[in-house]
Amino acid sequence: MSSKQSGSSEVQVDLTAPDLSPYRQGNTGVDYYHRFDSGQAGPTVMVNALTHGNEICGAIALDRLFKSGFRPARGSLLLGFANIAAYENFDPMNPGQSRYVDEDFNRLWSADVLDGPRQSLELTRARKIRPLIDETDLLLDIHSMSGNSPAMMLAGPLNKGVDFAKAVGYPGTTIIDSGHAAGVRLRDYRDFGDPSSKRNALLVECGQHWHRQTGDMAWTVLLAFLHATKLADSAFLDAQGFSAPPSDQKVVRVTDVVTVSSDSFTFSKPFQGMERIEKAGTVIGRDGSADVTTPYDDCALVMPSHAARKGQTAVRLGRVMP
Ligand SMILES: [Zn+2]
């Protein structure tokens, strides 16, 4: 365990970043991506970790799955570590610095960007991984958060995503949202964002980046995902102590994305996420000289980012569905 002063708050790192060098040599033609084919009919399923290099819970969960000797009971399973270059910069004494190298890997997933002329370390990596994403029917992309928010599944804007999140069952909160002004997420790439396609994707935010329970949540969600996609049989799940999810999931529909428009954005309180603000018009922050207020009663704050800069998402605002 180690800790580091970061701004005004102490950052505690309880999780240990695993050595991923054994996974460098994959069998897919892309470093750090592996395929396990059951030889049986079924979907191509991908579990992706390290879309953000500092979000190490997914790497821990995949390392554990590799070491378990898991093999899919049907279809095929792709396991991979996306922004490995950023991850290699991970330093537990300065854990916030390794989200990406040149730019956010999770804002690149539109054809115009991927096929465009721009170059960056993350774009090069995304272009290599893209053919594997193109053959993926069902994707789980594992993330974590800067704030001490409850874990949540980001299901995208479509009903098919919400249905998929409900089938997985963990974590207890599902968010209906459409991403960021700054670019398209992997979760929303191509067919995943097409209501007529059976392809489907989920992004899970497992908790605060480096808390112990975030690592536990990543593992639970991974098992639940393998359960929902029927790649894991009950013998494997029982051996891992997996239990069926509770049935009372909360669903929050994001109605507004607050994108920073000035050079100074501050929240009025140290919001962590999933606070519910009772009254419409409550000031929650200040963007330059303008107050940021809640648009309706009982407004949920989804993933406030206290480090967001101009053009980035500061917070999403949502309604809790009945
Ligand atoms: Zn992330």
Side-chain angles (χ1 to χ4, degrees):
M1 186 189 298
S2 57
S3 62
K4 168 86 180 173
Q5 282 294 125
S6 173
S8 58
S9 59
E10 181 85 355
V11 178
Q12 186 162 309
V13 180
D14 292 333
L15 298 177
T16 302
D19 173 17
L20 300 182
S21 59
Y23 308 120
R24 174 185 288 276
Q25 180 72 53
N27 60 349
T28 61
V30 182
D31 279 1
Y32 295 97
Y33 278 79
H34 296 252
R35 184 193 313 274
F36 299 94
D37 197 335
S38 69
Q40 307 295 317
T44 297
V45 172
M46 178 187 283
V47 183
N48 194 58
L50 297 179
T51 286
H52 294 129
N54 61 332
E55 300 179 0
I56 64 178
C57 65
I60 292 168
L62 284 195
D63 181 46
R64 188 168 169 184
L65 188 68
F66 276 109
K67 286 175 174 160
S68 76
F70 176 77
R71 294 294 179 270
R74 67 166 193 148
S76 66
L77 178 63
L78 289 161
L79 301 177
F81 306 95
N83 201 339
I84 200 80
Y87 178 74
E88 283 170 350
N89 294 335
F90 182 75
D91 174 1
M93 295 307 289
N94 197 0
Q97 294 304 305
S98 54
R99 181 175 169 89
Y100 54 78
V101 177
D102 291 335
E103 63 176 323
D104 193 326
F105 182 88
N106 211 27
R107 304 287 181 271
L108 306 176
W109 291 90
S110 57
D112 61 326
V113 174
L114 290 166
D115 295 329
R118 224 156 53 65
Q119 298 293 336
S120 70
L121 185 142
E122 276 77 14
L123 261 170
T124 301
R125 183 69 173 153
R127 286 166 180 150
K128 278 202 181 110
I129 295 167
R130 185 183 186 184
L132 300 177
I133 308 293
D134 280 332
E135 63 174 287
T136 296
D137 297 309
L138 302 169
L139 169 73
L140 175 67
D141 194 20
I142 303 179
H143 291 246
S144 57
M145 297 177 276
S146 54
N148 192 18
S149 165
M152 55 187 72
M153 191 68 93
L154 304 193
L158 302 175
N159 288 337
K160 69 176 185 178
V162 180
D163 292 344
F164 195 17
K166 284 181 177 164
V168 173
Y170 289 103
T173 300
T174 290
I175 307 292
I176 304 170
D177 77 321
S178 35
H180 305 271
V184 177
R185 301 173 298 190
L186 175 58
R187 199 232 72 79
D188 302 309
Y189 172 66
R190 223 183 67 159
D191 293 352
F192 302 142
D194 175 356
S196 68
S197 168
K198 285 201 166 75
R199 291 188 167 161
N200 218 338
L202 294 170
L203 186 169
V204 65
E205 300 280 4
C206 296
Q208 203 283 337
H209 294 318
W210 311 295
H211 286 180
R212 179 150 320 280
Q213 59 267 34
T214 302
D216 297 340
M217 179 58 76
W219 179 243
T220 298
V221 173
L222 172 52
L223 294 178
F225 184 75
L226 295 173
H227 174 247
T229 55
K230 301 186 176 67
L231 263 65
D233 56 26
S234 52
F236 175 79
L237 293 167
D238 290 348
Q240 303 300 327
F242 177 75
S243 51
S247 57
D248 54 340
Q249 272 186 318
K250 185 192 298 175
V251 178
V252 177
R253 179 180 293 279
V254 169
T255 57
D256 298 80
V257 177
V258 178
T259 303
V260 178
S261 65
S262 76
D263 291 323
S264 71
F265 186 101
T266 50
F267 285 101
S268 58
K269 288 184 181 165
F271 298 117
Q272 297 297 301
M274 290 313 295
E275 290 89 352
R276 290 167 75 166
I277 310 298
E278 195 184 340
K279 290 287 172 215
T282 303
V283 175
I284 56 166
R286 204 162 171 80
D287 190 357
S289 60
D291 281 338
V292 179
T293 58
T294 52
Y296 42 79
D297 289 350
D298 192 19
C299 179
L301 306 187
V302 179
M303 283 193 291
S305 169
H306 292 268
R309 292 190 299 270
K310 197 171 185 173
Q312 296 178 331
T313 302
V315 64
R316 296 114 161 138
L317 308 176
R319 287 185 197 273
V320 180
M321 307 297 282

